[in-house]
Amino acid sequence: MKWLTSRYVFPLAVITLVISLCLQCAWIRQLYVAQKKSVSTELESIVSDASKQITYRSIAKGHEKSGRFQQFFLSQEWLALRQAFDELKVDNLRSQFHYGITNDSSVVEMKMSFLNDAKLKFDHKSSAVTNGKSQREVSLQDQRDLKIMDSLVNHRLDHLGWHINRNYALYDYSDGRLIKGQLPSQTVSSFVSGKYTYNLKFQNRYQLIVPSITWLIVFQMRYYLISSFLMLFLTAAAFYLLIRLMKNQQLYAQAKLAFTSNMTHELQTPISTISVALESIKKYHLIDQPEKLENYINISVHELHRLQAMIEKVLKQEQMDLGETKLQFSLIDIQPILQQVIHAMEVQVQEKNASIIFLPIAEPLFINGDAMHISNVFYNLIDNAIKYSPPHARIDVSCSIGGHQLTISFNDNGPGINEIYQQQVFERFFRIFNQDNIHNVKGSGLGLHYVKQVVALHGGRVELYSKAGKGCNFMIILPLYEEN
C-alpha cells in the first residue's frame, strides 16, 4: 500500500495512544465508581453488624446461647422491624418501646400514637420503658454500649486493613439533634453511614463518618492501575521501537540505494577503461607498436585488479555480516604489517602529494590476530585519510602501549568529521554528504563498518576523535599478546 508510508506512522501511533488512554480512563472511572459503591456497602454493613451485635448483647444477658433469642433478635425480620421503628419520624408522633425478659417468656412491645388535632402537642416524642432503672443508670449503660459500638467498628475496619480517618456523630433518639461530633460535610468522596441504635434504651443513635475514601479506593485499585499504566507504557514503547525500526530501515534502504549507485559507477569505470584499451589495441593495430601495447595492457591489468579488489571487498563484508568469516589467528607483529601497507600505498600517496609519517618503536608489538584482516583495517584507514584529505595532506601513524593494550593511531589533517556523524560513520553503507547533499569522494560506505567488525572480532575497539575542520584521529585499541 503506497499510501501507508512512514510519515503516517507517527500520527497513527499518536491517535492510537490517545484512544487507548481515553478508553483506559473510561474503564478506570467505571471501576472507581464500582469500587466506591462496594466500599460504601461494606462500611454500611460494618456499622449495621456492629449495631446488631451490641444490641443483642444488651438484650440477651444470660441468654447469649439461647437458640430462641438468636432466632428472634438476630433475624433479618426483627432487624428490619426495629430499623423501621427507628426511622419512622412523623410530626407529633410519640413512640414507646418496652421489652421484658423473664425465665418463662420475653415480651417486646412497640407502641406509637399521635394526636389527630395538629394544634395539640405531646410532651415527649419517644421513650423507652427502663424497668425501674434511674435515668443516670440508663445514661451510664448507654455510654458503655457506645464505647463498645465504636470499638467494634474500629476493630472491624482495622481487621480489613482499612487505615482511614474516621469519626462518629451521636444524635438524640427523640428529636434527632446532634449531641456529639460534627455534621458530615457532603463531599463527593466522603462516606456517611445511616443512623443506628446500639441498644434498646433508645437514648442516642450512632453514625459513622469517613471524611474521604478516595485513597482507600485507589489502594484497592492499585493492581488495575498498575496494569493499565503498564499496558499504556508497553504500547507506547512498542510504537516507539516500531517507528525507530522503520526509520532505520528507511535510512538503510536509502544508504543501500546510494551504495548500489556508487558501486555501479565505480564498477563501470574500470570496465569502461578496459573496454577502451582493448578497442584501441584492435583499432590502431597496437600489436605493431609494442611499447603502446604494453602500456595499454598494463592499464587493463591495473583496472582488472582494482575491479577484483572492489568485488572482494563487498563479498568479504557480506560474509562477515552473515558470520561466515573465520579469522586465522596467529602471533603477529603489528609494526611490519603497518610498514608493508604504507609501502604498498606509495602510488596513492604520490598522486595526492601527501605524506605518511610512521616512526616505529624499538620493541616488537605482538598480538594474537589475523594478519590479512588486520592489514585490510590499516589499508582502509590510511586510504580514507588520503581520499578525504586535501592535497599535501599529512598522515601520522604511531603505536603506543598502556595497560596491556596496544593503541595504533591514524591522525590526519583533513576536514574532520562533525560530532553528529561520529557514531554513524561506522554503520554499513553510511557516507557523509557535503552541504549540497552530494558525495564528493567515491566510495562504498563499507570501509569503517568493516574496520569496526574486524577490530571487535580481535577483542578490541575503535575510537574516533575529531572536530570539523581539524582532522581525524582514528585509534585502534587491541589487547597485547600475553604468554600463559
Side-chain angles (χ1 to χ4, degrees):
M1 293 181 291
K2 295 182 178 180
W3 62 272
L4 189 59
T5 58
S6 58
R7 63 178 178 175
Y8 296 110
V9 174
F10 181 75
L12 181 62
V14 172
I15 293 172
T16 303
L17 286 175
V18 171
I19 293 175
S20 299
L21 180 61
C22 293
L23 291 175
Q24 291 289 331
C25 290
W27 174 70
I28 290 174
R29 184 179 181 279
Q30 290 181 349
L31 182 62
Y32 177 86
V33 172
Q35 287 292 111
K36 181 179 179 181
K37 183 178 180 181
S38 176
V39 169
S40 299
T41 301
E42 183 66 24
L43 289 171
E44 193 73 34
S45 175
I46 288 173
V47 182
S48 176
D49 289 345
S51 171
K52 178 178 68 175
Q53 294 296 329
I54 299 303
T55 302
Y56 179 75
R57 290 178 186 178
S58 68
I59 295 173
K61 290 182 179 179
H63 300 274
E64 290 85 354
K65 298 182 180 179
S66 172
R68 297 290 290 172
F69 266 66
Q70 293 179 1
Q71 185 180 6
F72 179 79
F73 288 108
L74 295 181
S75 66
Q76 292 299 324
E77 292 78 9
W78 160 248
L79 295 173
L81 178 62
R82 195 201 71 190
Q83 190 68 21
F85 180 79
D86 293 341
E87 296 295 336
L88 185 58
K89 300 297 180 183
V90 179
D91 290 341
N92 205 25
L93 173 70
R94 181 166 61 183
S95 61
Q96 190 175 37
F97 178 85
H98 171 258
Y99 72 94
I101 300 174
T102 65
N103 293 330
D104 296 331
S105 62
S106 298
V107 177
V108 177
E109 293 180 347
M110 293 181 178
K111 181 180 178 182
M112 291 172 283
S113 59
F114 58 91
L115 297 174
N116 296 332
D117 189 351
K119 296 180 180 180
L120 301 177
K121 300 292 183 180
F122 282 124
D123 294 335
H124 301 287
K125 290 185 178 181
S126 61
S127 64
V129 178
T130 59
N131 293 330
K133 291 185 178 181
S134 65
Q135 187 62 37
R136 184 174 180 277
E137 290 176 329
V138 173
S139 297
L140 291 175
Q141 182 63 44
D142 184 82
Q143 292 176 9
R144 286 192 292 267
D145 291 339
L146 174 61
K147 290 180 180 179
I148 297 173
M149 171 73 177
D150 189 54
S151 177
L152 184 57
V153 170
N154 291 336
H155 175 74
R156 290 286 301 277
L157 291 174
D158 293 337
H159 180 71
L160 291 174
W162 292 4
H163 303 293
I164 53 178
N165 294 327
R166 66 253 186 183
N167 49 63
Y168 69 89
L170 201 62
Y171 299 87
D172 183 83
Y173 183 86
S174 178
D175 55 16
R177 60 186 174 83
L178 180 69
I179 61 175
K180 186 176 182 180
Q182 295 181 349
L183 288 172
S185 58
Q186 299 300 321
T187 58
V188 176
S189 300
S190 64
F191 168 80
V192 180
S193 73
K195 300 173 183 178
Y196 293 89
T197 55
Y198 43 87
N199 56 35
L200 295 182
K201 305 302 180 184
F202 295 94
Q203 297 290 306
N204 303 301
R205 301 177 73 186
Y206 177 96
Q207 183 180 57
L208 178 67
I209 299 173
V210 181
S212 176
I213 57 175
T214 300
W215 289 112
L216 174 61
I217 297 173
V218 171
F219 178 76
Q220 291 188 332
M221 294 172 55
R222 61 191 182 280
Y223 297 116
Y224 300 102
L225 292 173
I226 291 172
S227 63
S228 179
F229 292 147
L230 183 61
M231 181 65 69
L232 288 173
F233 172 77
L234 291 177
T235 303
F239 276 118
Y240 170 76
L241 293 176
L242 179 62
I243 293 172
R244 184 175 179 181
L245 178 63
M246 291 185 64
K247 184 178 180 181
N248 290 339
Q249 288 291 338
Q250 185 178 13
L251 292 175
Y252 179 79
Q254 293 174 352
K256 190 174 182 180
L257 184 63
F259 164 77
T260 303
S261 177
N262 291 333
M263 287 303 297
T264 301
H265 178 75
E266 292 205 21
L267 291 173
Q268 284 178 344
T269 301
I271 292 174
S272 299
T273 303
I274 295 170
S275 177
V276 170
L278 292 176
E279 288 180 2
S280 299
I281 292 173
K282 183 178 178 180
K283 182 177 181 180
Y284 297 108
H285 302 282
L286 296 183
I287 193 171
D288 299 327
Q289 304 178 38
E291 293 182 359
K292 288 187 176 181
L293 176 63
E294 183 179 2
N295 184 36
Y296 278 80
I297 291 175
N298 289 336
I299 292 173
S300 299
V301 170
H302 179 268
E303 292 299 315
L304 282 172
H305 287 164
R306 191 158 75 92
L307 180 62
Q308 183 180 8
M310 286 189 290
I311 294 173
E312 287 181 355
K313 185 177 183 180
V314 175
L315 291 176
K316 286 179 182 178
Q317 182 63 65
E318 190 68 25
Q319 291 174 354
M320 186 162 291
D321 287 339
L322 295 174
E324 297 176 355
T325 301
K326 294 182 179 179
L327 303 185
Q328 302 295 325
F329 286 95
S330 61
L331 185 63
I332 57 175
D333 187 356
I334 288 296
Q335 293 188 119
I337 296 176
L338 273 171
Q339 290 173 333
Q340 291 174 5
V341 172
I342 293 172
H343 178 71
M345 300 189 72
E346 286 183 356
V347 176
Q348 292 96 314
V349 173
Q350 291 175 2
E351 287 179 356
K352 291 290 292 278
N353 293 321
S355 61
I356 301 178
I357 309 301
F358 174 56
L359 298 176
I361 58 179
E363 59 181 305
L365 304 174
F366 289 109
I367 67 165
N368 186 29
D370 186 306
M372 182 190 70
H373 284 283
I374 288 294
S375 62
N376 288 339
V377 166
F378 297 157
Y379 176 86
N380 274 286
L381 292 175
I382 296 175
D383 184 55
N384 279 349
I386 294 173
K387 287 194 301 184
Y388 288 96
S389 295
H392 307 288
R394 175 190 172 103
I395 303 168
D396 293 303
V397 182
S398 61
C399 299
S400 61
I401 299 175
H404 304 288
Q405 289 183 329
L406 168 63
T407 301
I408 310 159
S409 175
F410 299 85
N411 196 1
D412 63 65
N413 60 347
I417 299 175
N418 197 301
E419 291 183 3
I420 62 174
Y421 299 123
Q422 290 184 14
Q423 294 298 323
Q424 294 177 282
V425 292
F426 295 102
E427 296 178 4
R428 191 181 186 189
F429 302 134
F430 182 82
R431 300 185 66 211
I432 300 175
F433 296 91
N434 65 2
Q435 294 180 352
D436 299 321
N437 203 26
I438 298 174
H439 295 297
N440 290 330
V441 181
K442 296 178 181 179
S444 62
L446 296 176
L448 291 178
H449 181 66
Y450 171 82
V451 167
K452 184 177 181 179
Q453 284 185 306
V454 171
V455 172
L457 290 173
H458 282 77
R461 66 184 187 275
V462 184
E463 294 182 358
L464 169 60
Y465 298 93
S466 177
K467 289 185 178 181
K470 296 185 178 180
C472 295
N473 184 13
F474 284 91
M475 301 177 67
I476 307 297
I477 302 172
L478 298 168
L480 285 169
Y481 174 78
E482 295 182 2
E483 295 184 1
N484 294 331

